[in-house]
């Protein structure tokens, strides 16, 4: 695997290890609440230093179906938990931290979803050494 | 002809690729007072903007140590592995010293947390050799 997908998988593993089960991409079946990761735009960009890259991701959080107030509270809890779990790791929450919530149709009904915007520097050695 | 650009160059100092630690590097002639110095195009100082990273043996740690220990360096302007006549490398010795900016550690909060805080350094170069093979 190559960057930035390697780092996307690493991000999912890190969140899962922090008791926040997360898939590195969209799975075929889900039972809400759940989390998965999408590449952001740009997925990969030139970084701050001369040799560095930056991988950007969206951690999508989807609540269980329920009333609007319960879903909103659950969504805030889910996105906050992701932000707290990433403190002190290589993954940095971006200035636009959490996107506007939106309704998402899931197999169990209508859920509320939002994305946590995350990025990580990828070193030249890391980028060129992966395959 | 392909000119040198700022993304592919590699600087090794103390045998470590510093591509992920420096935002810029500029090899400059320094102050010139005599005619001989004016004719001299050999760099005397490397000015760099470097990331604040206090792990062992980073450029920043070398700057903070500022103990006068000379380090070896290699500049590969095009990032090519082997030096050639058309794509030369430059070897040098450098004496790390402290930040030239008022800031020694710290800085502004940034919206993008992938942007590390930085300091500027100007390190004396004590030898400079062009390598073509």
């Amino acid at each position: 695997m190559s960057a930035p997908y390697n780092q996307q998988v690493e991000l999912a593993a890190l969140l899962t290890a922090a008791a926040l089960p997360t898939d590195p991409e969209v799975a075929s079946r889900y039972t809400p609440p759940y989390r998965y990761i999408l590449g952001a735009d740009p997925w990969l960009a030139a970084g701050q230093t001369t040799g560095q890259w930056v991988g950007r991701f969206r951690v999508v959080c989807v609540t269980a179906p329920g009333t609007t107030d319960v879903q909103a509270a659950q969504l805030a809890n889910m996105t906050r938990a992701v932000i707290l779990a990433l403190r002190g790791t290589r993954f940095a929450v971006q200035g636009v931290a959490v996107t506007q919530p939106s309704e998402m149709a899931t197999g169990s009904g209508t859920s509320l979803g939002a994305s946590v915007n995350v990025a990580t520097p990828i070193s030249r050695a890391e980028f060129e050494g992966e395959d | 002809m392909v000119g040198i650009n700022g993304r592919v160059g590699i600087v090794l100092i103390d045998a470590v690729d510093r591509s992920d630690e420096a935002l810029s590097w500029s090899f400059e002639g320094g102050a010139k007072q005599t005619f001989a110095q004016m004719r001299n195009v050999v760099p005397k100082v490397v000015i760099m903007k470097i990331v604040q990273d206090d792990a062992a043996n980073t450029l920043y740690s070398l700057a903070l140590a500022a103990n006068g220990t000379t380090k070896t360096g290699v500049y590969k302007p095009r990032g090519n592995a082997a030096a050639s006549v058309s794509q030369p490398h430059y070897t040098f010795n450098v004496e790390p010293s402290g930040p030239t900016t008022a800031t020694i550690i710290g800085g502004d909060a940034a919206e993008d947390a992938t942007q590390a805080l930085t300091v500027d350094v100007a390190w004396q170069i004590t030898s400079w050799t062009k390598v073509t093979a």
Side-chain angles (χ1 to χ4, degrees), chain B residues 44-125:
Chain B
K44 297 295 183 189
V45 60
V46 57
I47 295 175
M48 297 186 286
K49 184 177 288 295
I50 61 174
V51 167
Q52 292 181 24
D53 179 355
D54 48 9
N57 199 36
T58 60
L59 291 178
Y60 183 62
S61 292
L62 292 175
L64 293 192
N67 57 12
T69 305
T70 298
K71 302 291 184 184
T72 59
V74 181
Y75 177 40
K76 305 176 180 180
R78 292 177 174 82
N80 49 310
S84 64
V85 172
S86 60
Q87 297 190 334
H89 292 174
Y90 301 88
T91 61
F92 57 91
N93 288 334
V94 65
E95 294 176 354
S97 53
T100 54
T101 42
T103 301
I104 294 175
I105 189 167
D108 296 334
E111 270 200 359
D112 184 346
T114 62
Q115 303 290 302
L117 299 176
T118 62
V119 295
D120 294 346
V121 295
W123 292 355
Q124 296 301 309
I125 291 175

Side-chain angles (χ1 to χ4, degrees), chain A:
Chain A
M1 293 191 298
S2 299
Y5 186 65
N6 258 357
Q7 288 69 35
Q8 188 165 322
V9 172
E10 184 182 338
L11 173 58
L14 191 153
L15 291 171
T16 301
L20 304 172
T22 305
D23 283 303
E25 62 276 307
V26 185
S28 54
R29 291 177 68 88
Y30 280 118
T31 303
Y34 55 82
R35 287 169 217 81
Y36 61 90
I37 300 174
L38 296 175
D41 183 19
W43 194 18
L44 184 69
Q48 180 187 25
T49 63
T50 57
Q52 198 175 63
W53 298 87
V54 173
R56 299 185 186 279
F57 314 101
R58 296 167 52 202
V59 181
V60 184
C61 301
V62 182
T63 68
T67 59
T68 308
D69 56 339
V70 171
Q71 283 185 326
Q74 185 179 31
L75 187 60
N77 286 342
M78 291 178 76
T79 54
R80 175 176 172 270
V82 169
I83 292 170
L84 293 180
L86 296 179
R87 284 195 305 192
T89 73
R90 66 176 293 175
F91 295 95
V93 177
Q94 299 294 277
V96 179
V98 180
T99 60
Q100 179 183 18
S102 58
E103 289 187 341
M104 301 176 73
T106 60
S108 342
T110 302
S111 297
L112 201 58
S115 299
V116 182
N117 293 318
V118 175
T120 186
I122 300 168
S123 71
R124 185 200 294 268
E126 196 175 14
F127 185 80
E128 295 180 356
E130 291 171 342
D131 190 12

